[in-house]
Tab-separated table of all heavy atoms in Angstrom:
chain	number	residue	atom	x	y	z
A	1	ASP	N	-206.636	51.480	242.948
A	1	ASP	CA	-205.979	52.298	243.954
A	1	ASP	C	-205.771	51.533	245.248
A	1	ASP	O	-204.799	51.756	245.965
A	1	ASP	CB	-206.805	53.554	244.229
A	1	ASP	CG	-206.105	54.484	245.215
A	1	ASP	OD1	-205.056	55.034	244.835
A	1	ASP	OD2	-206.600	54.624	246.347
A	2	SER	N	-206.667	50.596	245.537
A	2	SER	CA	-206.574	49.849	246.793
A	2	SER	C	-205.429	48.862	246.799
A	2	SER	O	-204.997	48.424	247.859
A	2	SER	CB	-207.889	49.107	247.064
A	2	SER	OG	-208.060	48.031	246.156
A	3	ILE	N	-204.911	48.497	245.623
A	3	ILE	CA	-203.831	47.509	245.589
A	3	ILE	C	-202.584	48.017	244.886
A	3	ILE	O	-201.617	47.286	244.747
A	3	ILE	CB	-204.273	46.210	244.901
A	3	ILE	CG1	-204.620	46.472	243.434
A	3	ILE	CG2	-205.408	45.550	245.624
A	3	ILE	CD1	-204.849	45.188	242.638
A	4	LYS	N	-202.575	49.290	244.480
A	4	LYS	CA	-201.455	49.750	243.668
A	4	LYS	C	-200.137	49.810	244.441
A	4	LYS	O	-199.068	49.831	243.848
A	4	LYS	CB	-201.757	51.122	243.069
A	4	LYS	CG	-201.858	52.248	244.075
A	4	LYS	CD	-202.190	53.543	243.358
A	4	LYS	CE	-202.285	54.719	244.324
A	4	LYS	NZ	-202.627	55.961	243.618
A	5	ARG	N	-200.207	49.787	245.775
A	5	ARG	CA	-198.976	49.823	246.555
A	5	ARG	C	-198.276	48.469	246.578
A	5	ARG	O	-197.150	48.346	247.052
A	5	ARG	CB	-199.280	50.225	248.001
A	5	ARG	CG	-200.111	49.204	248.751
A	5	ARG	CD	-200.492	49.676	250.131
A	5	ARG	NE	-201.353	48.757	250.821
A	5	ARG	CZ	-200.932	47.715	251.515
A	5	ARG	NH1	-199.655	47.453	251.589
A	5	ARG	NH2	-201.794	46.912	252.120
A	6	LEU	N	-198.942	47.434	246.079
A	6	LEU	CA	-198.408	46.088	246.179
A	6	LEU	C	-197.651	45.666	244.924
A	6	LEU	O	-197.979	46.065	243.822
A	6	LEU	CB	-199.542	45.087	246.441
A	6	LEU	CG	-200.372	45.396	247.683
A	6	LEU	CD1	-201.554	44.450	247.757
A	6	LEU	CD2	-199.520	45.280	248.930
A	7	GLU	N	-196.644	44.825	245.115
A	7	GLU	CA	-195.895	44.277	244.003
A	7	GLU	C	-196.634	43.062	243.465
A	7	GLU	O	-197.604	42.590	244.045
A	7	GLU	CB	-194.492	43.867	244.476
A	7	GLU	CG	-193.691	45.042	245.051
A	7	GLU	CD	-192.420	44.588	245.703
A	7	GLU	OE1	-192.231	43.362	245.846
A	7	GLU	OE2	-191.612	45.436	246.078
A	8	ASN	N	-196.150	42.514	242.337
A	8	ASN	CA	-196.741	41.309	241.773
A	8	ASN	C	-196.026	40.080	242.291
A	8	ASN	O	-194.819	40.101	242.539
A	8	ASN	CB	-196.646	41.337	240.248
A	8	ASN	CG	-197.565	42.383	239.663
A	8	ASN	OD1	-198.761	42.197	239.618
A	8	ASN	ND2	-196.992	43.509	239.253
A	9	LEU	N	-196.759	38.994	242.441
A	9	LEU	CA	-196.222	37.769	243.006
A	9	LEU	C	-196.366	36.626	242.032
A	9	LEU	O	-197.450	36.346	241.542
A	9	LEU	CB	-196.974	37.435	244.308
A	9	LEU	CG	-196.664	36.092	244.970
A	9	LEU	CD1	-195.211	36.059	245.413
A	9	LEU	CD2	-197.584	35.882	246.158
A	10	TYR	N	-195.269	35.927	241.734
A	10	TYR	CA	-195.294	34.773	240.844
A	10	TYR	C	-194.736	33.575	241.609
A	10	TYR	O	-193.576	33.565	242.004
A	10	TYR	CB	-194.432	35.038	239.599
A	10	TYR	CG	-194.980	36.153	238.737
A	10	TYR	CD1	-194.731	37.485	239.039
A	10	TYR	CD2	-195.771	35.868	237.638
A	10	TYR	CE1	-195.256	38.512	238.273
A	10	TYR	CE2	-196.297	36.882	236.861
A	10	TYR	CZ	-196.034	38.210	237.175
A	10	TYR	OH	-196.557	39.203	236.406
A	11	LEU	N	-195.570	32.563	241.836
A	11	LEU	CA	-195.148	31.408	242.617
A	11	LEU	C	-195.117	30.115	241.817
A	11	LEU	O	-194.614	29.112	242.299
A	11	LEU	CB	-196.093	31.222	243.820
A	11	LEU	CG	-196.009	32.307	244.887
A	11	LEU	CD1	-197.015	32.032	245.985
A	11	LEU	CD2	-194.620	32.361	245.492
A	12	VAL	N	-195.641	30.107	240.595
A	12	VAL	CA	-195.643	28.895	239.773
A	12	VAL	C	-195.014	29.211	238.430
A	12	VAL	O	-195.429	30.127	237.740
A	12	VAL	CB	-197.081	28.369	239.550
A	12	VAL	CG1	-197.054	27.121	238.674
A	12	VAL	CG2	-197.716	28.046	240.888
A	13	GLU	N	-194.000	28.442	238.060
A	13	GLU	CA	-193.348	28.634	236.778
A	13	GLU	C	-194.172	28.001	235.665
A	13	GLU	O	-194.910	27.037	235.885
A	13	GLU	CB	-191.957	28.005	236.786
A	13	GLU	CG	-190.992	28.662	237.780
A	13	GLU	CD	-189.621	28.050	237.677
A	13	GLU	OE1	-188.808	28.538	236.885
A	13	GLU	OE2	-189.376	27.058	238.374
A	14	GLU	N	-194.004	28.497	234.443
A	14	GLU	CA	-194.754	27.961	233.309
A	14	GLU	C	-194.474	26.478	233.112
A	14	GLU	O	-195.362	25.701	232.775
A	14	GLU	CB	-194.402	28.734	232.035
A	14	GLU	CG	-194.996	30.140	231.986
A	14	GLU	CD	-194.787	30.795	230.644
A	14	GLU	OE1	-194.107	30.178	229.788
A	14	GLU	OE2	-195.291	31.912	230.443
A	15	LYS	N	-193.238	26.065	233.320
A	15	LYS	CA	-192.869	24.667	233.076
A	15	LYS	C	-193.566	23.704	234.028
A	15	LYS	O	-193.598	22.495	233.777
A	15	LYS	CB	-191.354	24.499	233.178
A	15	LYS	CG	-190.791	24.721	234.572
A	15	LYS	CD	-189.279	24.556	234.565
A	15	LYS	CE	-188.692	24.771	235.954
A	15	LYS	NZ	-187.227	24.607	235.955
A	16	GLU	N	-194.118	24.219	235.132
A	16	GLU	CA	-194.791	23.360	236.098
A	16	GLU	C	-196.271	23.171	235.777
A	16	GLU	O	-196.948	22.364	236.403
A	16	GLU	CB	-194.660	23.942	237.516
A	16	GLU	CG	-193.236	24.269	237.942
A	16	GLU	CD	-192.355	23.043	238.039
A	16	GLU	OE1	-192.872	21.919	237.850
A	16	GLU	OE2	-191.156	23.206	238.287
A	17	LEU	N	-196.804	23.930	234.809
A	17	LEU	CA	-198.221	23.865	234.496
A	17	LEU	C	-198.514	22.738	233.510
A	17	LEU	O	-197.697	22.401	232.655
A	17	LEU	CB	-198.695	25.184	233.896
A	17	LEU	CG	-198.516	26.433	234.767
A	17	LEU	CD1	-198.999	27.650	234.001
A	17	LEU	CD2	-199.270	26.295	236.063
A	18	CYS	N	-199.706	22.170	233.602
A	18	CYS	CA	-200.133	21.183	232.618
A	18	CYS	C	-200.403	21.918	231.304
A	18	CYS	O	-200.547	23.139	231.259
A	18	CYS	CB	-201.389	20.442	233.096
A	18	CYS	SG	-202.836	21.506	233.265
A	19	THR	N	-200.477	21.162	230.213
A	19	THR	CA	-200.638	21.763	228.891
A	19	THR	C	-201.877	22.639	228.797
A	19	THR	O	-201.848	23.747	228.257
A	19	THR	CB	-200.717	20.656	227.816
A	19	THR	OG1	-199.526	19.864	227.889
A	19	THR	CG2	-200.815	21.257	226.417
A	20	THR	N	-202.997	22.150	229.363
A	20	THR	CA	-204.255	22.896	229.297
A	20	THR	C	-204.151	24.224	230.041
A	20	THR	O	-204.558	25.277	229.526
A	20	THR	CB	-205.407	22.069	229.899
A	20	THR	OG1	-205.518	20.838	229.170
A	20	THR	CG2	-206.723	22.824	229.812
A	21	CYS	N	-203.588	24.204	231.252
A	21	CYS	CA	-203.471	25.426	232.046
A	21	CYS	C	-202.508	26.422	231.401
A	21	CYS	O	-202.756	27.623	231.403
A	21	CYS	CB	-203.002	25.087	233.464
A	21	CYS	SG	-204.215	24.178	234.433
A	22	LEU	N	-201.407	25.900	230.835
A	22	LEU	CA	-200.438	26.768	230.188
A	22	LEU	C	-201.056	27.453	228.976
A	22	LEU	O	-200.878	28.658	228.766
A	22	LEU	CB	-199.212	25.959	229.760
A	22	LEU	CG	-198.117	26.749	229.037
A	22	LEU	CD1	-197.636	27.896	229.899
A	22	LEU	CD2	-196.956	25.820	228.681
A	23	ARG	N	-201.840	26.691	228.184
A	23	ARG	CA	-202.489	27.269	227.011
A	23	ARG	C	-203.479	28.353	227.430
A	23	ARG	O	-203.575	29.412	226.807
A	23	ARG	CB	-203.213	26.184	226.218
A	23	ARG	CG	-203.778	26.696	224.877
A	23	ARG	CD	-204.533	25.611	224.136
A	23	ARG	NE	-203.692	24.456	223.889
A	23	ARG	CZ	-203.882	23.250	224.424
A	23	ARG	NH1	-204.899	23.078	225.271
A	23	ARG	NH2	-203.088	22.258	224.156
A	24	LYS	N	-204.215	28.091	228.513
A	24	LYS	CA	-205.181	29.058	229.020
A	24	LYS	C	-204.481	30.359	229.419
A	24	LYS	O	-204.946	31.457	229.096
A	24	LYS	CB	-205.922	28.463	230.225
A	24	LYS	CG	-206.906	29.422	230.878
A	24	LYS	CD	-207.562	28.760	232.083
A	24	LYS	CE	-208.496	29.733	232.789
A	24	LYS	NZ	-209.112	29.125	233.991
A	25	CYS	N	-203.352	30.241	230.108
A	25	CYS	CA	-202.613	31.424	230.538
A	25	CYS	C	-202.054	32.193	229.339
A	25	CYS	O	-202.074	33.419	229.311
A	25	CYS	CB	-201.470	31.025	231.466
A	25	CYS	SG	-202.020	30.410	233.070
A	26	GLN	N	-201.535	31.462	228.356
A	26	GLN	CA	-200.973	32.099	227.176
A	26	GLN	C	-202.043	32.858	226.398
A	26	GLN	O	-201.806	33.973	225.924
A	26	GLN	CB	-200.306	31.043	226.283
A	26	GLN	CG	-199.031	30.470	226.885
A	26	GLN	CD	-198.480	29.312	226.090
A	26	GLN	OE1	-199.220	28.623	225.365
A	26	GLN	NE2	-197.187	29.075	226.197
A	27	GLN	N	-203.231	32.253	226.276
A	27	GLN	CA	-204.325	32.922	225.571
A	27	GLN	C	-204.760	34.178	226.309
A	27	GLN	O	-205.032	35.222	225.685
A	27	GLN	CB	-205.503	31.953	225.405
A	27	GLN	CG	-205.231	30.820	224.432
A	27	GLN	CD	-206.341	29.791	224.414
A	27	GLN	OE1	-207.198	29.744	225.304
A	27	GLN	NE2	-206.345	28.942	223.394
A	28	ALA	N	-204.824	34.086	227.644
A	28	ALA	CA	-205.215	35.247	228.442
A	28	ALA	C	-204.171	36.357	228.313
A	28	ALA	O	-204.506	37.538	228.229
A	28	ALA	CB	-205.384	34.844	229.908
A	29	ARG	N	-202.890	35.963	228.289
A	29	ARG	CA	-201.824	36.951	228.152
A	29	ARG	C	-201.902	37.651	226.806
A	29	ARG	O	-201.698	38.868	226.700
A	29	ARG	CB	-200.471	36.276	228.323
A	29	ARG	CG	-199.302	37.262	228.373
A	29	ARG	CD	-197.986	36.563	228.561
A	29	ARG	NE	-197.954	35.824	229.822
A	29	ARG	CZ	-197.850	34.492	229.887
A	29	ARG	NH1	-197.796	33.791	228.793
A	29	ARG	NH2	-197.822	33.913	231.056
A	30	GLU	N	-202.173	36.877	225.750
A	30	GLU	CA	-202.288	37.466	224.420
A	30	GLU	C	-203.435	38.465	224.356
A	30	GLU	O	-203.323	39.534	223.746
A	30	GLU	CB	-202.503	36.355	223.381
A	30	GLU	CG	-201.260	35.484	223.163
A	30	GLU	CD	-201.544	34.301	222.255
A	30	GLU	OE1	-202.708	34.153	221.821
A	30	GLU	OE2	-200.614	33.524	221.973
A	31	LYS	N	-204.557	38.130	225.020
A	31	LYS	CA	-205.703	39.026	225.053
A	31	LYS	C	-205.366	40.327	225.764
A	31	LYS	O	-205.721	41.425	225.312
A	31	LYS	CB	-206.885	38.328	225.733
A	31	LYS	CG	-208.161	39.152	225.739
A	31	LYS	CD	-209.300	38.353	226.355
A	31	LYS	CE	-210.582	39.176	226.365
A	31	LYS	NZ	-211.713	38.414	226.976
A	32	VAL	N	-204.658	40.203	226.896
A	32	VAL	CA	-204.265	41.380	227.658
A	32	VAL	C	-203.317	42.259	226.849
A	32	VAL	O	-203.417	43.485	226.847
A	32	VAL	CB	-203.598	40.968	228.991
A	32	VAL	CG1	-202.971	42.177	229.675
A	32	VAL	CG2	-204.621	40.329	229.916
A	33	ASN	N	-202.387	41.615	226.135
A	33	ASN	CA	-201.439	42.375	225.321
A	33	ASN	C	-202.142	43.151	224.214
A	33	ASN	O	-201.759	44.275	223.876
A	33	ASN	CB	-200.390	41.436	224.721
A	33	ASN	CG	-199.409	40.935	225.762
A	33	ASN	OD1	-199.212	41.591	226.790
A	33	ASN	ND2	-198.791	39.798	225.505
A	34	LYS	N	-203.180	42.557	223.615
A	34	LYS	CA	-203.938	43.255	222.581
A	34	LYS	C	-204.617	44.498	223.145
A	34	LYS	O	-204.634	45.556	222.528
A	34	LYS	CB	-204.984	42.309	221.969
A	34	LYS	CG	-204.397	41.224	221.078
A	34	LYS	CD	-205.497	40.349	220.483
A	34	LYS	CE	-204.909	39.268	219.579
A	34	LYS	NZ	-205.964	38.390	219.013
A	35	ILE	N	-205.185	44.346	224.362
A	35	ILE	CA	-205.852	45.478	225.006
A	35	ILE	C	-204.843	46.579	225.312
A	35	ILE	O	-205.109	47.774	225.119
A	35	ILE	CB	-206.558	45.020	226.304
A	35	ILE	CG1	-207.700	44.049	225.952
A	35	ILE	CG2	-207.091	46.216	227.081
A	35	ILE	CD1	-208.367	43.437	227.164
A	36	LYS	N	-203.638	46.177	225.757
A	36	LYS	CA	-202.601	47.158	226.064
A	36	LYS	C	-202.181	47.914	224.813
A	36	LYS	O	-201.959	49.119	224.841
A	36	LYS	CB	-201.396	46.452	226.692
A	36	LYS	CG	-201.595	46.002	228.120
A	36	LYS	CD	-200.336	45.367	228.667
A	36	LYS	CE	-200.510	44.961	230.130
A	36	LYS	NZ	-199.295	44.314	230.658
A	37	ASN	N	-202.057	47.183	223.691
A	37	ASN	CA	-201.651	47.817	222.438
A	37	ASN	C	-202.688	48.823	221.958
A	37	ASN	O	-202.359	49.886	221.431
A	37	ASN	CB	-201.413	46.755	221.367
A	37	ASN	CG	-200.192	45.901	221.668
A	37	ASN	OD1	-199.274	46.355	222.360
A	37	ASN	ND2	-200.159	44.676	221.160
A	38	MET	N	-203.971	48.468	222.166
A	38	MET	CA	-205.037	49.387	221.783
A	38	MET	C	-205.015	50.633	222.669
A	38	MET	O	-205.210	51.751	222.211
A	38	MET	CB	-206.395	48.687	221.886
A	38	MET	CG	-206.594	47.563	220.865
A	38	MET	SD	-208.129	46.654	221.152
A	38	MET	CE	-209.333	47.963	220.886
A	39	ALA	N	-204.765	50.421	223.950
A	39	ALA	CA	-204.744	51.543	224.890
A	39	ALA	C	-203.562	52.465	224.624
A	39	ALA	O	-203.620	53.666	224.873
A	39	ALA	CB	-204.689	51.024	226.327
A	40	ALA	N	-202.469	51.894	224.091
A	40	ALA	CA	-201.272	52.690	223.836
A	40	ALA	C	-201.513	53.758	222.786
A	40	ALA	O	-200.826	54.780	222.737
A	40	ALA	CB	-200.133	51.770	223.404
A	41	ALA	N	-202.498	53.537	221.928
A	41	ALA	CA	-202.816	54.494	220.871
A	41	ALA	C	-203.412	55.782	221.445
A	41	ALA	O	-203.385	56.829	220.814
A	41	ALA	CB	-203.789	53.867	219.878
A	42	THR	N	-203.947	55.701	222.669
A	42	THR	CA	-204.523	56.868	223.339
A	42	THR	C	-203.758	57.132	224.625
A	42	THR	O	-204.042	56.530	225.662
A	42	THR	CB	-206.015	56.629	223.673
A	42	THR	OG1	-206.698	56.242	222.487
A	42	THR	CG2	-206.637	57.888	224.271
A	43	PRO	N	-202.721	57.987	224.571
A	43	PRO	CA	-201.868	58.226	225.745
A	43	PRO	C	-202.687	58.699	226.944
A	43	PRO	O	-203.583	59.510	226.811
A	43	PRO	CB	-200.912	59.321	225.262
A	43	PRO	CG	-200.921	59.197	223.771
A	43	PRO	CD	-202.317	58.790	223.417
A	44	LYS	N	-202.373	58.164	228.079
A	44	LYS	CA	-203.020	58.595	229.309
A	44	LYS	C	-202.046	58.407	230.459
A	44	LYS	O	-201.087	57.666	230.362
A	44	LYS	CB	-204.305	57.808	229.577
A	44	LYS	CG	-204.084	56.301	229.722
A	44	LYS	CD	-205.383	55.555	229.857
A	44	LYS	CE	-206.151	55.936	231.077
A	44	LYS	NZ	-207.364	55.148	231.285
């Protein structure tokens, strides 16, 4: 609630990241997407 009024900010493009950092971000994104898919099964 304390930050919901704010938009999201993206300042670094994927192409600018080193291979290790890009892989880390992709893995984190995949994890988040799985959680979102699980949450979608229970509407709220």
Side-chain angles (χ1 to χ4, degrees):
D1 184 67
S2 70
I3 63 171
K4 67 181 181 181
R5 66 185 176 85
L6 304 173
E7 300 171 352
N8 290 285
L9 173 64
Y10 295 82
L11 292 178
V12 179
E13 296 183 90
E14 287 188 356
K15 67 181 180 180
E16 308 296 356
L17 301 178
C18 64
T19 302
T20 301
C21 292
L22 179 57
R23 187 182 302 114
K24 177 182 177 182
C25 291
Q26 290 173 335
Q27 291 173 345
R29 187 179 299 116
E30 290 173 359
K31 184 177 180 180
V32 170
N33 288 336
K34 288 181 179 179
I35 294 174
K36 286 182 178 179
N37 292 334
M38 293 174 63
T42 306
K44 60 185 298 185

